[in-house]
């Protein structure tokens, strides 16, 4: 996700009311007419864990943009879903994975419209994502062998964990 694509900016004043940048559809990249998503608890109690699991699949730690929307949006526009196993280093998060299936271009555009109207586009900063990763590693949520981050990123997380441990032992 790229949060800046979901809002009008000074460079997109040409958009008419109700329109959105076509670039945001790239954030809804499908494969086989399916869109991969993860379910987050209504109270967002698993959000940080989901973000950590997804961030662990990247090369580098970075800001993490995401969108939250109610499942009712899918029903309202006729999008079906099926639970499939995710591919992150966190097995619990993998069980929160869904594929939105049988997506036509029209349904995908409808989904984008509904997300803009009723969803919540947010960002976690790089330091927040780093903390989420450190927390998930410390709690044993992430299978370290499956983390795809570059070694220098893992070293940053390990340093943070050591720093946090030193603070907690004082």
């Amino acid at each position: 996700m790229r949060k800046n694509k979901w809002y009008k900016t000074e460079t997109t004043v040409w958009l008419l009311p109700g329109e959105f940048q076509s670039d945001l559809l790239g954030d809804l990249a499908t494969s086989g007419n399916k869109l991969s998503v993860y379910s987050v608890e209504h109270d967002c109690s698993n959000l940080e864990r989901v973000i950590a699991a997804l961030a662990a699949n990247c090369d580098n730690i970075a800001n993490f943009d995401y969108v939250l929307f109610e499942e009712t949006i899918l029903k309202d526009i006729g999008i079906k879903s099926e639970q499939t196993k995710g591919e992150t280093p966190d097995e619990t998060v993998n069980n929160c994975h869904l594929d939105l299936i049988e997506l036509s271009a029209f349904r995908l555009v409808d989904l984008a419209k509904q997300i803009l109207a009723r969803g919540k586009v947010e960002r976690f900063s790089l330091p927040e994502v780093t903390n989420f990763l450190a927390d998930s590693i410390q709690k044993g949520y992430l299978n370290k062998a499956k983390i795809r981050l570059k070694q220098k990123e893992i070293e940053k997380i390990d340093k943070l964990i050591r720093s946090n441990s030193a603070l907690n032992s004082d």
Side-chain angles (χ1 to χ4, degrees):
M1 274 238 15
R2 297 159 300 161
K3 186 177 178 182
N4 65 327
K5 299 298 178 190
W6 289 78
Y7 295 107
K8 284 190 180 182
T9 66
E10 62 277 349
T11 60
T12 58
V13 293
W14 48 269
L15 288 171
L16 298 174
E19 289 187 328
F20 55 84
Q21 299 179 63
S22 61
D23 289 352
L24 76 75
L25 292 175
D27 291 343
L28 301 176
T30 61
S31 177
N33 301 306
K34 296 178 183 181
L35 179 65
S36 173
V37 299
Y38 286 81
S39 180
V40 173
E41 299 295 333
H42 286 284
D43 64 0
C44 293
S45 58
N46 67 334
L47 178 60
E48 293 176 5
R49 186 170 177 175
V50 170
I51 299 297
L54 293 171
N57 265 349
C58 299
D59 290 335
N60 296 298
I61 303 170
N63 292 337
F64 196 99
D65 296 341
Y66 63 98
V67 64
L68 295 174
F69 59 89
E70 294 291 331
E71 193 174 355
T72 56
I73 287 177
L74 302 176
K75 292 180 177 107
D76 292 348
I77 56 180
I79 292 178
K80 299 176 190 174
S81 66
E82 65 183 10
Q83 187 149 13
T84 57
K85 190 171 173 95
E87 297 178 4
T88 76
D90 184 325
E91 286 304 313
T92 298
V93 170
N94 290 342
N95 293 327
C96 298
H97 182 263
L98 299 168
D99 278 327
L100 307 185
I101 62 171
E102 299 174 8
L103 287 174
S104 68
F106 289 112
R107 285 192 187 125
L108 194 63
V109 169
D110 283 345
L111 178 60
K113 286 179 185 176
Q114 289 301 313
I115 289 171
L116 279 169
R118 298 165 46 193
K120 189 168 137 183
V121 180
E122 298 288 338
R123 167 178 283 172
F124 282 117
S125 68
L126 185 150
E128 290 173 308
V129 175
T130 305
N131 283 325
F132 300 160
L133 284 160
D135 187 56
S136 284
I137 288 170
Q138 282 183 295
K139 291 180 177 173
Y141 297 158
L142 296 175
N143 177 339
K144 285 186 100 172
K146 293 184 178 181
I147 294 174
R148 295 183 186 162
L149 291 166
K150 291 181 179 175
Q151 185 59 37
K152 68 179 178 83
E153 300 290 7
I154 293 171
E155 288 168 5
K156 288 179 195 174
I157 296 167
D158 287 341
K159 183 178 177 182
L160 177 62
I161 291 170
R162 285 192 304 276
S163 173
N164 289 344
S165 294
L167 288 173
N168 290 336
S169 66
D170 288 345

